[in-house]
Amino acid sequence: MEEKDFKKVDNITEYVREGIKSGRLTVDKVEKFARVHARQGTLGEEVITKMANGLEETKNTVKADEKTGNPGWIVTNPDGEEYIVDDSVFQKKYEIDPENAEQYKPKGGPVLSATVDEDIEFNAPWGEPMKIEAGGSLILSGPEDIYGIQKSEFENTYASTERNKFETLREAKILLEMLNVIDIAKLGAEIGMEPKEQTLPNGKVVKSLVWDQENLLKAVNAVRYLSEEGKPVEITGAAPAWLVSALTHTVHPCPVGIYMPQIGKDVDIPQLAHGEANAEGEVAFKSTDKGDAVLVEYNMDLPEGITTYDENNLSKVVVPEIAQGKEVYLSGRGPNYLTVAIAEAYAHTNSSVSLFQPGVGYTCSITHSRSKRLGDLTKDPLGKEEVKEQLAAPKEAPTQEQSQDRAVESKEGPSID
């Protein structure tokens, strides 16, 4: 059999990461369905895995499992392909088929796969070279646990779960450490917060985190290190817009996406232009100046009969031009990604940005001024009496807890109006 030329891949993990970034590799969530035959091997026993055309794919030697101390298993797929599986992995992924005690059925659940479009050779997790022909698939079990299966063997043993492609891509990026995730609930727990039981205006009782200035400062300190890693950051979970804005700015210059479960994907925060309004952005603005403060009010300007903002129009939004150095106060209603994008548009040109929350006031989410701290509250930036204080709820108005819980229930995600 004449040998084929395979592209040498020095680092299969980086190869997959770059393929996912460029779109060359498509990730799918697949599940093994085929029954297999298996026997426990003998220490030192060598198995050579061959392709359907007879070429050697890889080889491996039975070793004692580091976790169990037992020899690995030699598994035979329906097509006759043989390979070695460590004992602890085999016990996790296979069980005796109740309909045929001489074979095993998979039980490990779905895994991620990526189809390759060229013949490649790389080092398998067991330390031996592995060759996969174009059309074959890579099984992604972790950054250091990637191996391949030839096209025919893959098609005869795995099937797609037809999972949402955005969810699948997101999972792959997290698995391969291409994406840092800020989970609001986990972040709160990390800094010592506990959900509090709250009663919403409609009588529904929920448990949610109640954020204040003290916890805001703890949160930004907890995620600050991400800015040095340079990886894209995903923010997920219910939260007031000013918190998401503060976290987004803290991890700059990392790209940030806000995960929206309603559409099953991240919405990336773009750098918005300043100038005349763009109708295609579907957002109308009104700005009012008073001294060093500028109130920027905005509303979603949606087509008749449409009630949901189209995230694909976000990059088309053009924010009003404002004199540099002034304090910006934002008031409007919309999904978090819209509010955060508008706030970020002023993050590097103005001294501070504060976001409105009903019954509470304007909470500072971005600041470059020593006279305004993150979490500082301004009740009435354009009125005669301007009061700045720690985040606290006025007695005669809805509590901050109530306002945040309303945000949790918002269909579009937390809003700031």
Side-chain angles (χ1 to χ4, degrees), residues 4-12 15 118-123 129-131:
K4 294 180 64 175
D5 289 329
F6 286 77
K7 176 181 179 179
K8 294 288 195 328
V9 176
D10 294 329
N11 188 322
I12 188 62
Y15 177 85
E118 57 186 338
D119 299 335
I120 61 173
E121 179 179 350
F122 58 95
N123 282 333
M130 185 171 212
K131 295 176 180 178

Side-chain angles (χ1 to χ4, degrees), residues 1 44 73 127 257 286 306 369:
M1 179 69 64
W73 291 69
K286 174 186 176 184
I306 301 298
S369 170

Side-chain angles (χ1 to χ4, degrees), residues 53-54 65 85 122 136 139 146 155 203 217 222 241 247 263 268 277 296 318 353 356:
N53 58 16
D65 191 294
V85 178
F122 58 95
I139 300 299
I146 298 174
E155 292 175 346
L217 296 175
L247 296 174
I263 56 178
D268 295 330
V296 177
V318 178
V353 181
F356 182 68

Side-chain angles (χ1 to χ4, degrees), residues 263-311:
I263 56 178
K265 68 174 183 178
D266 292 341
V267 177
D268 295 330
I269 302 301
Q271 184 61 51
L272 302 182
H274 295 233
E276 294 293 328
N278 178 13
E280 293 183 357
E282 296 187 345
V283 179
F285 291 93
K286 174 186 176 184
S287 57
T288 307
D289 290 63
K290 184 174 182 181
D292 291 331
V294 180
L295 173 63
V296 177
E297 300 172 278
Y298 65 94
N299 289 292
M300 295 183 291
D301 190 14
L302 305 178
E304 186 176 357
I306 301 298
T307 60
T308 302
Y309 189 77
D310 184 349
E311 71 279 0

Side-chain angles (χ1 to χ4, degrees), residues 32 35 38 44 120 132 167 175 209 260 276:
K32 191 168 187 176
R35 271 48 174 173
I120 61 173
I132 297 296
E167 290 278 5
L175 176 72
L209 296 175
M260 301 297 292
E276 294 293 328

Side-chain angles (χ1 to χ4, degrees), residues 130-245:
M130 185 171 212
K131 295 176 180 178
I132 297 296
E133 294 181 304
S137 295
L138 299 174
I139 300 299
L140 315 178
S141 299
E144 306 302 324
D145 190 4
I146 298 174
Y147 60 92
I149 303 177
Q150 306 300 339
K151 184 176 187 295
S152 60
E153 286 84 353
F154 181 82
E155 292 175 346
N156 290 331
T157 54
Y158 285 88
S160 175
T161 62
E162 304 297 336
R163 190 185 184 197
N164 178 288
K165 64 179 181 179
F166 295 111
E167 290 278 5
T168 300
L169 182 60
R170 172 177 178 259
E171 183 179 343
K173 288 180 177 179
I174 294 173
L175 176 72
L176 297 175
E177 299 175 354
M178 300 169 60
L179 178 70
N180 282 320
V181 177
I182 299 176
D183 184 299
I184 298 297
K186 292 180 180 179
L187 177 60
E190 180 184 337
I191 62 176
M193 296 180 68
E194 293 183 0
K196 295 182 179 180
E197 194 172 89
Q198 308 294 330
T199 302
L200 301 180
N202 62 6
K204 183 178 179 181
V205 177
V206 298
K207 279 192 173 183
S208 61
L209 296 175
V210 179
W211 290 88
D212 56 19
Q213 186 175 46
E214 178 183 0
N215 287 315
L216 169 62
L217 296 175
K218 288 180 181 178
V220 297
N221 286 331
V223 304
R224 198 179 302 278
Y225 74 96
L226 297 178
S227 66
E228 300 176 359
E229 295 191 359
K231 298 178 185 176
V233 174
E234 174 192 271
I235 301 176
T236 180
W242 51 262
L243 173 60
V244 181
S245 172

